[in-house]
């Protein structure tokens, strides 16, 4: 059983208040709670939504979820991405598996995402959070916000207020927290690119594929929701009224669209819920922090759904922020460390707006021809594995032929030198600590010294180093992934969010101490 997160007294401000209990807020809450940082998470909804919306975590988010200890639950509840069957005039014309040529590698254990409804992922994260003694507080709508140099007060619609040392708005694209801060949300909404969406019940259709009917005058897409018997995600080009405006989504409209494009009986579609009209929004906050209040997820950026990066970018925002906010809340780093959250994640949001816009253009072009489909939105970039922070002040120096400071830290299968049991680098990284890897026996002393001096912050692992906590790199996968020359004694410091902080030679191990000391003296 994980340790229970520290709970503040009723009269003292909670260290961190999270507004919004979607995947972003829950990821952040789990990360803080496992660090024993006092956290509360509120949501204005009276009950937990059963919104399917996002279709699941991408490979990088699966790595985050592994670190949080829930990836096995996620994979068990979801399914692998499905083949895509494309139709024209009601007839199948192509079937594509976007991941047919991909496979896991020693450094990338998840070569594809998981198909999973958003409500299912949220339930898994809520269960994980409850293991730390923290529960989402429903029916708690934030309507006011004030802050002073020491704390933030959030006023609720029911007259209550919550004091916190820090507040994070994870409350979606219409974020009240962002609006109360006066943060601009610049960008555009493309009104003509509309889509009606909902969760529907459909009988008599093969649940082993993602069906995509694309015609010259519209489209219907049906993707089965894992864990349900007849549940599907429904997406379609909307019906238009005489003035050309989109007809609001309804069961009757969905049935007409279904029958028109599938050429199947309308009454196969028996239920439609969680109806919405989606328009392409491309917007980004101009800043992620105002004093003691921060923004994450859709509250900070929204973009096209092409590529499936919305929920995933939010999860990865939270993973970047969690360890930094914990250090500051605990008094181990100055607030300036929080500035690196915006420094690192705002450029990622800008990139995400660009890549999703590009994938949307590619998809709209592809579906003009028979056989084109949503697989055009998928690329190596949408896996999230290539994103790093090379520009960051937290990535000061160091590189090898395969890796440089700021990169995602690769996985590798090894063996525990003492027991011979299988061990992976990701297992070494998992948790709230920094990890120091030492390649070769000449790193053993630096590993011991670093852990002796920073044992509350760093876990040191030797790779064929003869260190107290040593891994045997039998097949050379770790050295290959990290570009470590056998003739060179190399040290690699990995951040708690599993990005490379620093690469240096063992003869310059003082750089590790300088880096860690610098985190505590940022001012």
């Amino acid at each position: 059983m994980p340790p229970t997160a520290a709970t503040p007294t009723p009269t003292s401000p909670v260290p961190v208040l999270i507004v919004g209990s979607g995947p972003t807020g829950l990821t952040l809450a789990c990360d803080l709670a496992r660090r024993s940082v006092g956290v509360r998470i509120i949501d204005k909804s009276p009950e937990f939504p059963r919104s399917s919306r996002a279709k699941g975590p991408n490979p990088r988010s699966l790595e985050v979820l592994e670190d949080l200890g829930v990836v096995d639950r996620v994979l068990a509840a979801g399914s692998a991405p499905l083949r895509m069957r494309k139709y024209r005039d009601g007839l199948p014309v192509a079937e594509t598996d976007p991941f047919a040529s991909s496979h896991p590698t020693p450094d990338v254990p998840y070569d594809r995402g998981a198909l999973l409804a958003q409500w299912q992922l949220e339930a898994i994260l809520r269960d994980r959070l409850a293991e730390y003694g923290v529960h989402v507080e429903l029916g708690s709508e934030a309507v006011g916000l004030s802050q002073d140099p020491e704390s933030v007060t959030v006023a609720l619609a029911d007259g209550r207020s919550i004091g916190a040392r820090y507040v994070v708005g994870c409350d979606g694209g219409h974020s009240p927290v962002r609006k109360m801060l006066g943060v601009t949300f610049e960008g555009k909404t493309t009104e003509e690119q509309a889509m009606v969406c909902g969760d529907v019940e459909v009988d008599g259709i093969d649940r082993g594929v993602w069906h995509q009917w694309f015609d010259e005058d519209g489209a219907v897409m049906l993707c089965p929701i894992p864990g349900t018997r007849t549940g599907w995600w429904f997406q379609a080009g909307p019906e238009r009224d005489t003035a050309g405006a989109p007809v609001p989504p309804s069961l009757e409209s969905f049935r007409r669209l279904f029958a028109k494009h599938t050429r199947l009986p309308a009454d196969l579609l028996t239920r439609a819920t969680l109806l919405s009209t989606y328009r392409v929004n491309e917007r980004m906050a101009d800043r992620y922090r105002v004093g003691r209040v921060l923004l994450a997820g859709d509250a900070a950026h929204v973009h096209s759904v092409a590529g499936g990066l919305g929920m995933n970018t939010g999860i990865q925002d939270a993973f970047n922020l969690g360890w930094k906010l914990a250090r500051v809340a605990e008094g181990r780093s100055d607030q300036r460390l929080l500035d690196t959250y915006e420094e690192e994640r705002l450029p990622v949001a800008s990139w995400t707006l660009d890549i999703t816009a590009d994938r949307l253009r590619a998809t709209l072009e592809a579906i003009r021809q028979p056989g084109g489909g949503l697989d055009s939105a998928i690329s190596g970039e949408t896996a999230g594995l290539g994103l790093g922070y090379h520009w960051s002040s937290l990535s000061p120096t160091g590189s090898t032929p395969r890796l440089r400071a700021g990169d995602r830290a690769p996985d590798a299968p090894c063996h525990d030198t003492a027991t011979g049991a299988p061990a992976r680098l990701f297992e070494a990284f998992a948790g709230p600590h920094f990890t120091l890897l030492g390649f070769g026996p000449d790193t053993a002393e630096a590993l011991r010294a670093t852990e002796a001096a920073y044992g509350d912050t760093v876990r040191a692992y030797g790779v064929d180093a003869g260190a107290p906590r040593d891994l045997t790199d039998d097949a050379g996968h770790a050295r290959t992934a990290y570009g470590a020359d056998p003739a060179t004694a190399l040290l690699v410091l990995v951040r708690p969010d599993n990005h490379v902080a620093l690469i240096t030679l063992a003869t310059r191990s003082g750089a590790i101490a300088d880096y860690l000391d610098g985190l505590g003296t940022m001012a």
Side-chain angles (χ1 to χ4, degrees):
M1 176 69 68
T4 300
T7 303
T9 64
T11 56
S12 66
V14 66
V16 180
L17 173 66
I18 298 170
V19 181
S21 66
T24 301
L26 289 167
T27 297
L28 180 59
C30 287
D31 199 17
L32 292 170
R34 69 173 175 167
R35 300 170 191 276
S36 297
V37 174
V39 60
R40 290 175 68 178
I41 178 168
I42 64 173
D43 199 289
K44 68 178 182 180
S45 299
E47 58 187 21
F48 295 121
R50 199 175 171 86
S51 173
S52 295
R53 290 181 298 192
K55 291 185 177 64
N58 68 7
R60 178 55 182 160
S61 289
L62 288 176
E63 295 181 352
V64 172
L65 295 167
E66 177 177 346
D67 198 281
L68 294 178
V70 297
V71 74
D72 289 343
R73 305 181 207 181
V74 169
L75 296 176
S79 74
L82 300 176
R83 302 188 316 278
M84 298 182 181
R85 184 175 296 164
K86 281 73 71 76
Y87 302 78
R88 199 73 159 195
D89 299 323
L91 299 174
V93 293
E95 189 160 303
T96 305
D97 179 354
F99 300 98
S101 62
S102 67
H103 54 85
T105 60
D107 58 324
V108 179
Y110 307 107
D111 67 310
R112 63 197 68 194
L115 190 64
L116 186 75
Q118 183 171 319
W119 63 266
Q120 294 169 310
L121 177 60
E122 290 174 357
I124 291 169
L125 289 170
R126 285 197 303 270
D127 287 346
R128 182 58 165 166
L129 187 59
E131 293 172 11
Y132 297 101
V134 181
H135 303 272
V136 176
E137 301 172 39
L138 294 172
S140 301
E141 181 180 3
V143 296
L145 186 153
S146 61
Q147 60 177 310
D148 59 38
E150 300 299 324
S151 64
V152 187
T153 300
V154 173
L156 304 183
D158 61 8
R160 294 179 296 141
S161 64
I162 300 175
R165 290 172 56 204
Y166 296 93
V167 171
V168 186
C170 304
D171 48 345
H174 298 289
S175 172
V177 170
R178 185 188 66 241
K179 293 173 183 176
M180 286 186 275
L181 291 174
V183 172
T184 61
F185 205 45
E186 297 180 352
K188 64 180 181 179
T189 300
T190 309
E191 294 289 342
E192 63 272 15
Q193 290 180 343
M195 182 169 60
V196 289
C197 311
D199 287 10
V200 301
E201 299 287 329
V202 181
D203 285 307
I205 299 179
D206 180 1
R207 290 182 62 82
V209 296
W210 185 345
H211 302 272
Q212 300 168 17
W213 291 270
F214 290 109
D215 296 321
E216 292 184 4
D217 59 348
V220 163
M221 292 154 279
L222 280 173
C223 183
I225 301 174
T228 66
R229 188 178 63 83
T230 57
W232 299 77
W233 286 287
F234 180 100
Q235 298 168 281
E239 294 184 303
R240 302 276 177 173
D241 62 20
T242 55
V247 173
S250 66
L251 174 60
E252 294 73 21
S253 177
F254 280 12
R255 281 177 163 172
R256 288 192 296 267
L257 288 165
F258 175 79
K260 174 182 177 181
H261 293 291
T262 70
R263 277 63 166 181
L264 295 170
D267 58 8
L268 289 179
L269 197 157
T270 56
R271 188 167 180 262
T273 59
L274 301 169
L275 308 181
S276 64
T277 299
Y278 167 81
R279 291 174 176 83
V280 175
N281 275 299
E282 297 173 328
R283 298 182 182 275
M284 188 171 70
D286 65 340
R287 49 192 167 148
Y288 281 15
R289 178 185 170 214
V290 179
R292 291 177 172 268
V293 185
L294 301 103
L295 301 172
D298 286 355
H301 43 75
V302 294
H303 43 78
S304 163
V305 297
L309 292 176
M311 179 187 74
N312 288 291
T313 304
I315 287 172
Q316 292 154 36
D317 282 349
F319 202 49
N320 180 287
L321 176 60
W323 70 274
K324 300 172 182 179
L325 188 54
R327 285 188 64 94
V328 174
E330 293 168 341
R332 302 174 73 181
S333 289
D334 185 87
Q335 287 192 52
R336 188 174 175 183
L337 181 61
L338 297 178
D339 292 335
T340 68
Y341 166 62
E342 177 183 305
E343 178 190 3
E344 293 182 341
R345 293 304 296 176
L346 194 149
V348 171
S350 179
W351 173 88
T352 302
L353 264 66
D354 289 342
I355 190 64
T356 54
D358 176 75
R359 292 297 86 204
L360 178 61
R361 286 190 295 269
T363 301
L364 293 175
E365 180 67 28
I367 63 177
R368 293 175 184 172
Q369 302 298 322
L374 299 186
D375 48 304
S376 298
I378 299 170
S379 71
E381 294 172 303
T382 59
L385 299 169
L387 294 175
Y389 309 123
H390 306 137
W391 59 86
S392 171
S393 58
L394 295 181
S395 308
T397 186
S399 65
T400 72
R402 293 289 300 271
L403 207 63
R404 57 176 170 157
D407 281 342
R408 160 195 168 272
D411 194 13
C414 299
H415 282 88
D416 183 293
T417 303
T419 67
R424 293 168 55 218
L425 292 187
F426 275 7
E427 293 168 348
F429 300 160
H433 54 272
F434 281 79
T435 305
L436 181 62
L437 298 177
F439 290 88
D442 290 341
T443 64
E445 180 54 38
L447 295 172
R448 292 189 187 93
T450 300
E451 193 159 283
Y454 302 95
D456 60 338
T457 301
V458 180
R459 287 186 187 174
Y461 286 83
V463 180
D464 299 324
R469 193 182 287 117
D470 203 59
L471 301 173
T472 301
D473 187 19
D474 310 80
H477 292 309
R479 283 193 175 275
T480 298
Y482 284 76
D485 188 325
T488 303
L490 190 71
L491 296 172
V492 180
L493 184 66
V494 178
R495 299 174 3 173
D497 61 354
N498 301 348
H499 280 265
V500 175
L502 187 71
I503 302 173
T504 189
L505 298 175
T507 54
R508 300 173 185 170
S509 61
I512 303 294
D514 291 344
Y515 186 98
L516 295 169
D517 290 342
L519 290 177
T521 59
M522 297 185 85

